[in-house]
Amino acid sequence: VGPDAISAAADQVTDELKDDIRFSFDRVRTFAEHQRASIQDFEAELSPGLWAGQRLIPVTSAGCYVPGGRYAHVASAIMSITTAKVAGVENVIACSAPSQEHGGIHPAILYAMNLCGADHILALGGVQGIAAMAFGLFTDRHANILVGPGNRFVAEAKRMLFGRVGIDLFAGPTEILLIADEDADPEIVAFDLVGQAEHGPDSPAWLVTTSKRLADDVMARMDGLISALPEMQAAAASDAWRDYGEVVLCDTDEEAVGVSDDYAPEHLEVQTANLDWYAARLKNYGSLFVGEETTVAFGDKCSGTNHILPTKGAGHYTGGLSVHKFIKVVTTQRMTRDANRDVA
């Protein structure tokens, strides 16, 4: 995609949407800058004359996949490209599928890609987009790591290429687990569950609660909220809630923590009276949303944290996309002659 097409796309994006994209970009970039500042090079003398240390070296080239099929995933462009550039990646290749409606990449996605600093942009989606970035087609710069969400075919292409290139994580359908007690608002709980179930027919929505009254109240509201959605989203949410929805009733807060840590959900919301207690004890999740004001929709779009997160239990061993994924932590060592002899 050349500069003329990028300029033309910007002309098609409303000023209001540009402001929204900038709002998200500023927060994601600031959060990524704080992440980068939290890690540093160091060297320490482990014994007389023997120094060991670490260096943080960004990968040379990253491929960022941005879904552009059913919906224009503007936020995915911001989450991946911005984070890579803050990490120090010198060459970022971004790709997204062209649409029949626009004759190319959705204008808002293209505007966001350019704003966030993409060095190369390909109007290419699906498996072929992943392959083009991995093998350096059209850019002569093959990606060292591939990141970004996509459908099952994109996920499988990344899995098959893992080893030849790095990947951010193995991703499945989006998930939400919500921990709530008797003080939670059942209407808000139900809304947040539906808000993730509508993503697709295989998107799990789990409620873990210590209150049977809340459990019954939330379940009673779900069908009505789902039926009020637009037809396509209602069909997806209905299937997801029927086949993958769960309500788990626990005796104690400790049991609720244990259930949640076992599931290791992608998005974990806590709406309880003792928020700090839960936040300090929960260990396995992609991103944590503390309190009823902190809905997943904010984290997925514009609060600053990254929305490319582990699913299907991957939260047991990894977090989501961050500047760390684009940086190699390598070790160094040096010795004096005397230290060389001591070690020998």
Side-chain angles (χ1 to χ4, degrees), residues 47-161:
S47 60
L50 189 163
W51 291 271
Q54 74 175 19
R55 288 188 62 210
L56 307 175
I57 304 176
V59 300
T60 302
S61 185
C64 299
Y65 186 86
V66 181
R70 182 180 299 175
Y71 302 109
H73 285 250
V74 175
S76 291
I78 298 170
M79 301 289 173
S80 57
I81 299 167
T82 306
T83 307
K85 297 308 284 188
V86 171
V89 179
E90 65 182 51
N91 183 70
V92 173
I93 309 162
C95 79
S96 188
S99 69
Q100 290 184 339
E101 179 184 355
H102 299 285
I105 296 175
H106 190 287
I109 292 178
L110 194 50
Y111 175 81
M113 286 175 162
N114 184 61
L115 173 69
C116 297
D119 299 287
H120 304 277
I121 299 175
L122 302 178
L124 201 60
V127 173
Q128 54 269 40
I130 294 294
M133 295 190 293
F135 292 97
L137 306 180
F138 310 109
T139 64
D140 292 326
R141 301 293 296 273
H142 72 272
N144 306 120
I145 185 171
L146 297 170
V147 304
N151 62 22
R152 65 192 66 189
F153 303 106
V154 168
E156 175 61 12
K158 288 168 63 178
R159 188 194 67 80
M160 293 174 67
L161 287 164

Side-chain angles (χ1 to χ4, degrees), residues 14-317:
T14 66
D15 289 341
E16 182 181 12
L17 182 51
K18 287 177 180 175
D19 289 342
D20 290 343
I21 291 172
R22 171 69 69 173
F23 182 94
S24 176
F25 169 66
D26 287 343
R27 279 148 189 77
V28 171
R29 180 183 59 188
T30 301
F31 184 76
E33 289 170 346
H34 282 289
Q35 282 186 325
R36 181 62 184 85
S38 73
I39 54 175
Q40 59 188 348
D41 295 354
F42 75 84
E43 187 175 66
E45 190 173 15
L46 304 184
S47 60
L50 189 163
W51 291 271
Q54 74 175 19
R55 288 188 62 210
L56 307 175
I57 304 176
V59 300
T60 302
S61 185
C64 299
Y65 186 86
V66 181
R70 182 180 299 175
Y71 302 109
H73 285 250
V74 175
S76 291
I78 298 170
M79 301 289 173
S80 57
I81 299 167
T82 306
T83 307
K85 297 308 284 188
V86 171
V89 179
E90 65 182 51
N91 183 70
V92 173
I93 309 162
C95 79
S96 188
S99 69
Q100 290 184 339
E101 179 184 355
H102 299 285
I105 296 175
H106 190 287
I109 292 178
L110 194 50
Y111 175 81
M113 286 175 162
N114 184 61
L115 173 69
C116 297
D119 299 287
H120 304 277
I121 299 175
L122 302 178
L124 201 60
V127 173
Q128 54 269 40
I130 294 294
M133 295 190 293
F135 292 97
L137 306 180
F138 310 109
T139 64
D140 292 326
R141 301 293 296 273
H142 72 272
N144 306 120
I145 185 171
L146 297 170
V147 304
N151 62 22
R152 65 192 66 189
F153 303 106
V154 168
E156 175 61 12
K158 288 168 63 178
R159 188 194 67 80
M160 293 174 67
L161 287 164
F162 180 59
R164 175 183 288 272
V165 298
I167 65 172
D168 46 2
L169 42 84
F170 295 113
T174 189
E175 306 164 345
I176 183 173
L177 188 149
L178 203 155
I179 299 175
D181 62 13
E182 67 278 359
D183 292 328
D185 184 333
E187 183 86 349
I188 292 177
V189 171
F191 262 105
D192 283 2
L193 292 173
V194 172
Q196 289 302 113
E198 71 170 355
H199 281 62
D202 50 1
S203 294
W206 303 310
L207 170 61
V208 176
T209 181
T210 52
S211 168
K212 185 175 186 304
R213 178 195 59 77
L214 179 89
D216 291 338
D217 203 346
V218 170
M219 287 190 291
R221 296 168 186 262
M222 291 295 289
D223 288 344
L225 292 176
I226 289 172
S227 64
L229 292 170
E231 183 178 357
M232 184 170 63
Q233 288 87 343
S238 178
D239 290 349
W241 181 242
R242 182 192 65 226
D243 297 335
Y244 294 91
E246 294 182 26
V247 177
V248 182
L249 184 61
C250 298
D251 289 323
T252 64
D253 292 334
E254 288 80 6
E255 184 184 5
V257 168
V259 170
S260 177
D261 278 346
D262 185 49
Y263 281 48
E266 177 188 19
H267 304 99
L268 175 56
E269 291 190 8
V270 179
Q271 297 182 20
T272 64
N274 47 354
L275 296 173
D276 291 343
W277 184 91
Y278 272 98
R281 285 163 176 77
L282 291 160
K283 296 179 179 179
N284 300 330
Y285 51 82
S287 192
L288 181 64
F289 301 80
V290 182
E292 70 176 20
E293 298 84 4
T294 320
T295 180
V296 167
F298 292 161
D300 274 355
K301 297 295 183 284
C302 62
S303 62
T305 57
N306 210 289
H307 80 186
I308 300 171
L309 299 169
T311 64
K312 289 189 172 294
H316 284 284
Y317 61 82

